[in-house]
Amino acid sequence: MSDSEQTIGASLPRRDALRLAVGRGTFTDDIVLPRMLHMALVRSPYAHALIKSIDITDAKNSDGVVRVLTGADLEDVCSPFIASIEFLPNMISPPQYALALEEVAWQGEGVCAVLAESRALAEDAAELVKVEWEELPAVVDPLTALLAGTPTVHRKLETNIAMIMPIEKGDTKLAFANADVVVEHSFEFGRQAGVALETRSVVADFEPAGRQLTVYQSHQTPYQMQDVYARHLGLAEHQVRVIAKDVGGAFGLKLHAYPDEMAAVAASVLLGRPVKYIVDRQESFTSDIHSREMTATGRLAVSGQGVILGVEVDILSAIGAYSIYPRTSVGDGVQAVQFTGAPYRLPTFKGRVRIVYQNKTPCGAYRAVGQPIGCSIIEQLLDLAAAKLNLDPSEIRRRNHLRSVDMPFKAAGGLEFSNVSLDECLTALLAKMNYDSLRNDQKKAQKRGVYRGIGLATFVEQTAVGAGLYGPAGVRVSAQEGCSLRLNPSGLVNCSTSVTDQGQGTLTGLQQVIAETLGIGFDDVTVEAGDGGATPYGGGSWASRGLAIGGEAARLAAIDLRNKILTVAAAITQELPENLTLVNSNIFDGSKCLMDLSELSEIVHFRQNTLPPGVDFEMNVTRHFVPRDFPYFIANGIQASYLEVDVGTGAIKLLEHWVAEDCGKIVNPLLVDEQLRGGIVQGLGAALYEHCLYDDAGQLLTASLADYAVPLASEMPDIHIVHVETPVSGTGLGAKGAGEAGTLGAPAAVWCAVNDAIRPLGAQVWKQPFTMAHVLQALNSKGSLL
Amino acid sequence: MKASTFKYLHAQSKDEAYAAFAEYGDEAVILAGGQSLMPMLNMRLAQPAVLVDINPISELSGIVLLNQQLHIGATTRHVDVANADLIAAELPLIGCAIKQVAHRGIRNRGTFGGSLAHADPAAEMPACAVALDATFVLQSRAEERRVKAVDFFLGVMTTDRRPDEILTTIELPAQTSNDAWAFHELSRRHGDFALVGVAATARRRSEGLEELRLVVFGCEERPRISKIAASTSLSQKDALELATAVAEDLDPMSDLEGDAKTKRIQARTLIQRALDDLFVEGANG
Amino acid sequence: MAEMLPIKLTVNGAVVSKLVDPRQHLTDFLRIDLGLTGSHLGCEHGVCGACSVRVNGQVIRGCLMLASQTDGADVQTIEGIFEAGEAAELIAAFVARNALQCGFCTPGMLLTAAEIVAEGKLLDRQEIRNELSGNICRCTGYQSIIDAVEMVLLEKLKEA
Ligand SMILES: Cc1cc2nc3c(=O)[nH]c(=O)nc-3n(C[C@H](O)[C@H](O)[C@H](O)COP(=O)(O)OP(=O)(O)OC[C@H]3O[C@@H](n4cnc5c(N)ncnc54)[C@H](O)[C@@H]3O)c2cc1C
Ligand code: FES
Ligand code: FES
């Protein structure tokens, strides 16, 4: 047995890595069940239309087809779903159906499902379904959606405005009037897709005799889906079991209840046969949630010393045709406002977000929800102010960062901080990147006509969210995480957890926490997850919670199991339990080894008769944890980007990237570092290429991986990481989350760097992504280029 | 998505392919490397009744040098073009540009002839073929035609090839030490199709360059020789002016990555860089 | 349905004879007909590289080749490569360096990386990045993958 000491904090490779690397993972599409049917969908070719009629005659008679289903067929099996928030009674949210009934509201909305012997045959038949459409005007542009007189996204809606939320603290008017410098900037954020490499996938298996539904699904949170399926398919909770085996990336997009997946599950219930539905890549672009489509104007007032006096921000967030079930789609816009300026001391703040529907793919939570928007806005404004004041960008940040002395702190947008380490992060970052010499390099390059820029982005990240978010909202998503531990006869331990892992390595982190807390070897613990029917109830994986919350549950369970073990050991050895310790799977009294854990394990499993009467021999414990003393943990850090702009073509070349990050106690640096890097590269994709483009009729123009460009290895820079480690006090483990920090800050860092590079030319970019065309547009604003 | 149904024919010889053309007419489509056709099949954008796989026809593949002409068989794979010593020595322009074509796994399978027959305006090989004044050999059961590259490309994915013809060989005059060449490409990411690209050849003379064959590709419907550039005998100081004139003469298609104006600016930059290269011996690519 | 075609090929060293639907691509054949689910489908239009397999010694995209074209071919998948112990150093380096997260891209990535390593050319980091540009990874940010490949390449060149 391996060494149990100091497992927490060690860079241990993931226990699942080899299995996955050599192709022995079980992704949902790898699952094959007897009599399984394959589903293909007919999706709406229009952004907005009425379904006049559907003729399925030819499709039904096509080779290998078992059933063709329309919205009417599923209406009785699957009730409609409405994503709303209890404390926002005025929020408007149209109902969604597994398959559209009379009206479609985005290009790609499912209309008809074909169940056949193979996917190819199902697709053949889908081509034969004849739908008669009446096209309706499509609302595509968010500003138009706001205007009175604009047609509505759904005929039954009276307005396209989902909600409007103002936030105000102090008197910004006065602050702006008294400011030495006021800067202003407008921003456009392109709509993005999550693009998990494994598309959404589901295999639903309804067994009609016992009325048991088992759903294998590529999903982040099986518990939520069990609840959704039970309630909408008229089943009891315990008749539904959702199992997420290996999941090929998720990033938030596999957090929702999608109508097409509901249709597949409903079809299985209706037919009493297993149904497989794999969203293909083109479908994924029109039907996975999108996010981040926003425009904003921001204003910043600072004193002559560069101290922030006030911030004003006005955001318009467009969320597509529906509010996604069950978590809603308003989080993106709301968090965008809340996070504008969140890392800084803002004496006054005035914010507003307006959230509108449009005839486009529905939006939802994608990694870092709204936070990158708020970050980009304030960081850009700070750079503009710094330039006016002739202050270094690092200096203006330092003058305004929240500091330890400000703690605890409640920010204007409502965020609650218990600790921060922004100044420490800034110092560490500047040292790591050799900031001064980089500035020299930049100057020298400019003399050669080469435009390089440095961008800094301070960020705070909301992690480990407790029940305070969805609880009051009436959204049935659990904020607790649970952990069961079982001691086996040979002294090895099984863990079963509600935390799910889509590659983050959280399960390995739990393994480390359990091994060290118990006093056994890392390899003596195995971890099971993803089976909503067989693991402790919990949240799964969302909002960077796995180790911070699930890790704490694991730690508590391990403490309990250790105490149980030591109590039995004391009974066996006639010692006092408080004198005993468990180290390296041995039970010690001081430095004297009394027995081996496997010996004890044999006794509690096979020879209970030898135990004194009344001694507890049960070696199973389950613990749950939910943060109750704090709403969430705020992690923080700073990113920096160094890049070069080719002013002749508009091309941006990323040279290097840095991040200084504080996610509390680090359980496994190897995992945290690659979470950060992976997240940063997604943020770099957002900055450089990623954009769901639509035409005026609401047709998605970027519905393939060739058109929607994600980062490749070739253009990405090396990313240097430095950690500041400030353990949180709310848990024994002290970990915060780290899953979204990278994605959150990277676009802002690039934004600042691009503008830093081209500021000498009097230009600035204002639209993300910073495509070559946009950079040239910025450079050519005076029309001088050609 | 899965391809719709088709009949698959494994042509062992040109005659077997011709027989398929005779029987199925336009319904029969040639399958070479499949790196452009297969995506279209899988997305059901193409739904041919019959696929004629010409990969087994061994005479269609290989690279030979005959009378200062390189003969490249149509089904020679991109990877074999990229690795061939003959190409490196005799056609450095192709040797440079082929590295920009797609990615390893695609180059292992995609073919030189397929790239030309497919005639994507943003593809590298068609532009190089035009710049190098290549001749395309097209064979049908009835006849063999030889078509100059400039005449072969008619528009977006449209060529002079008739449905019953196989593009069999591409003949390219070997470049000599007197031949200057340049290649520049702007793409979003490594291996992507060009947003704008320039392939150019010229003869070095003691005072400047002549016979400039400058092809701007990726932004117009087909690769073509710039007439403005061709009519000039060039010295280095005229480069900027010429680049601007050529760029202004373009008629770029606007697409998701930029409007016509953007493309002209980018083209001008690349043309200027290409011209700079042409003047500097050995500083290509 | 079109007429099924007989094919006979070698897959991971074993001879396989099957009837295939002409339109079926190689990856579907391997996954569905042979149960070799280590090769994945991330797009089916040639962009992501998750479907990469080796045909006659070269890495190709399984979604862009028909099963019917592999009559007589020698096909190797990640399963066979692992069992043969062929890319053991590379696989070990991926694991040690945490060069995979969800692992969906990894079999394809490993096949491409193995081809680069086998060619044995000294490549700098940017060159390794370019050689791997045809395999999309949405999770890792690539750096750990580049590190792993670089490590194995340098090791191998040192030995030679
Ligand atoms: C992700 C991706 C990226 C790519 N990037 C690039 C790139 O950057 N640059 C680039 O140039 N290409 C790129 N390609 C395309 C690739 O180079 C193809 O290999 C090439 O365009 C077509 O060659 P093929 O042999 O694969 O032809 P196929 O796909 O088999 O055929 C293409 C077309 O040509 C016809 N055809 C093929 N051969 C002949 C022949 N001998 N006679 C008559 N007709 C024929 C076919 O009928 C078909 O219509 C990319 C492909 C992918 C999937
Ligand atoms: S599945 Fe073949 S390249 Fe994506
Ligand atoms: S590890 Fe998830 S896509 Fe590469």
Side-chain angles (χ1 to χ4, degrees), chain C residues 40-51 61-63:
Chain C
H40 301 141
L41 291 172
C43 68
E44 291 189 295
H45 46 251
V47 184
C48 75
C51 60
R61 277 145 151 68
C63 73

Side-chain angles (χ1 to χ4, degrees), chain C residues 98-131:
Chain C
N98 197 19
L100 61 140
Q101 290 183 23
C102 76
F104 198 78
C105 70
T106 317
M109 192 70 84
L110 275 168
L111 258 76
T112 306
E115 186 167 285
I116 296 165
V117 171
E119 282 172 12
K121 276 188 221 133
L122 178 64
L123 302 177
D124 65 25
R125 285 178 76 80
Q126 185 58 50
E127 287 166 328
I128 299 174
R129 284 181 176 279
N130 291 353
E131 292 295 341

Side-chain angles (χ1 to χ4, degrees), chain B residues 29-37 39 54 74 78 100-102 106 110-111 113-115 117-118 123-124 161 165-167 191-193, chain C residues 45-47 64:
Chain B
V29 167
I30 291 178
L31 174 64
Q35 304 302 289
S36 294
L37 185 55
I54 59 169
H78 296 320
Q100 309 295 320
V101 175
I106 294 165
T111 68
S115 198
H118 189 59
E124 293 81 358
R161 184 181 80 85
E165 285 178 328
I166 304 176
L167 171 61
D192 279 357
F193 281 100
Chain C
H45 46 251
V47 184
L64 297 189

Side-chain angles (χ1 to χ4, degrees), chain A residues 41 45 71 281 294 314 325 342 388 401 417 433 463 472 503 557 682 686:
Chain A
L41 279 189
R281 180 56 64 193
M294 291 187 218
D314 191 11
Y325 194 63
K388 277 205 173 174
H401 278 158
F417 292 79
M433 66 192 283
T463 79
Q682 274 181 15

Side-chain angles (χ1 to χ4, degrees), chain A residues 123-124 646 648 710 715, chain B residues 2 44 189-190 268-269 273:
Chain A
E123 287 179 14
D124 290 347
D646 180 345
V710 298
E715 284 68 37
Chain B
K2 313 293 177 191
R44 298 195 178 211
R189 302 165 304 174
H190 184 78
R268 183 187 60 182
T269 302
R273 287 174 191 171

Side-chain angles (χ1 to χ4, degrees), chain C residues 52-60 74-76 81 86 111 114:
Chain C
S52 299
V53 291
R54 221 186 254 165
V55 176
N56 297 331
Q58 280 180 317
V59 174
I60 58 103
D74 178 19
V75 174
Q76 284 166 294
I81 284 165
E86 194 207 316
L111 258 76

